[in-house]
């Protein structure tokens, strides 16, 4: 079951409202079990075609219900105004189409770990420890996933970065990857569609070099180039079974280290 409610993110948008979403697994109301949690970006694109930006969601609830995965998913809607999504979902400043984008990813992640996560842990039967907490997203949300797993590694033990916008780093391995000393058993699934590489000339190089850097830092990385993969929710939906297995959310939703 998916529920939504209105929230505010004062450090970013003051008192303006946006939606938050939570998926609760089948049987949540019938037992007193606690569940691992996956925090995700672009919550409006995860569950409902009617709310998805381009009319197609990930269909995530249907997958989780169909596989009886015992997992809570919590996510906030992005900021839809102009380039605000790009700003909130980037940990650094960058330029796109001649427009300077101010990176406010740190403010977003500070809100997520200091306000949103404590709220979810206080109001739902979560397993709040690092081992049972994951993060995931696509595109700029994929970039933020790599950033969160690096700069906020004490909160998240695993992540799924689909089509991460590494091109925004300017052609090099992200500085936050270079600086991070990852904790043991940090797990990352990262992919990119074969048809996407032509969208940004430096993306293939960034992807390959970032994968190498993560492996050298002992991150348990699973990296894929998705045959005929494109930059859209329909393509990302098809990757759900792959990243769920990598993150350990298999039968029963138990994390398997």
């Amino acid at each position: 079951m998916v529920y939504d409610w209105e929230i505010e993110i004062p450090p970013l948008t003051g008192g303006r409202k946006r939606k938050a979403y939570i998926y609760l697994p089948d049987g949540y109301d019938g037992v007193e079990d606690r569940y691992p949690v996956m925090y995700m970006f672009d919550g409006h694109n995860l569950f409902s075609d009617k709310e998805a930006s381009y009319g197609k969601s990930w269909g995530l609830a249907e997958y989780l219900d169909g596989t009886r995965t015992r997992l809570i998913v919590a996510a906030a809607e992005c900021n839809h105004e102009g380039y605000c999504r790009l700003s909130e979902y980037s940990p650094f400043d960058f330029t796109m189409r001649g427009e300077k984008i101010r990176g406010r990813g740190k403010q977003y992640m500070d809100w997520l770990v200091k306000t949103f996560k404590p709220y979810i842990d206080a109001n739902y039967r979560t397993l709040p420890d690092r081992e049972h907490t994951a993060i995931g997203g696509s595109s700029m949300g994929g970039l933020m996933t790599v950033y969160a797993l690096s700069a906020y590694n004490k909160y998240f033990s695993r992540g799924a970065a689909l089509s991460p916008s590494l091109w925004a780093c300017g052609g090099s391995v992200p500085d936050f990857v270079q600086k991070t000393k990852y904790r043991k058993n940090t797990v990352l699934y990262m992919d990119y569609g074969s048809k996407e590489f032509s969208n940004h000339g430096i993306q293939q190089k960034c992807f390959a070099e970032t994968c190498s850097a993560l492996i050298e830092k002992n991150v348990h990385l699973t990296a894929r180039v998705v045959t005929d993969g494109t930059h859209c929710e329909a393509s990302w939906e098809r990757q759900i079974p792959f990243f769920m297995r990598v993150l350990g959310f298999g039968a029963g939703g138990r994390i398997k280290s």
Side-chain angles (χ1 to χ4, degrees), residues 18-64:
R18 68 177 82 183
K19 281 187 176 181
Y21 304 82
I22 191 161
Y23 167 84
L24 300 177
D26 186 40
Y28 177 88
D29 292 330
V31 295
E32 293 300 315
D33 289 352
R34 291 188 172 272
Y35 299 83
V37 183
M38 186 168 185
Y39 293 89
M40 299 188 73
F41 300 95
D42 293 310
H44 55 290
N45 286 336
L46 299 177
F47 305 111
S48 168
D49 290 351
K50 291 181 179 179
E51 294 192 51
S53 296
Y54 301 102
K56 174 69 183 80
S57 73
W58 289 37
L60 187 55
E62 286 80 2
Y63 172 84
L64 296 173

Side-chain angles (χ1 to χ4, degrees), residues 61-72:
E62 286 80 2
Y63 172 84
L64 296 173
D65 285 344
T67 55
R68 300 185 66 81
T69 300
R70 293 163 60 82
L71 172 71
I72 291 173

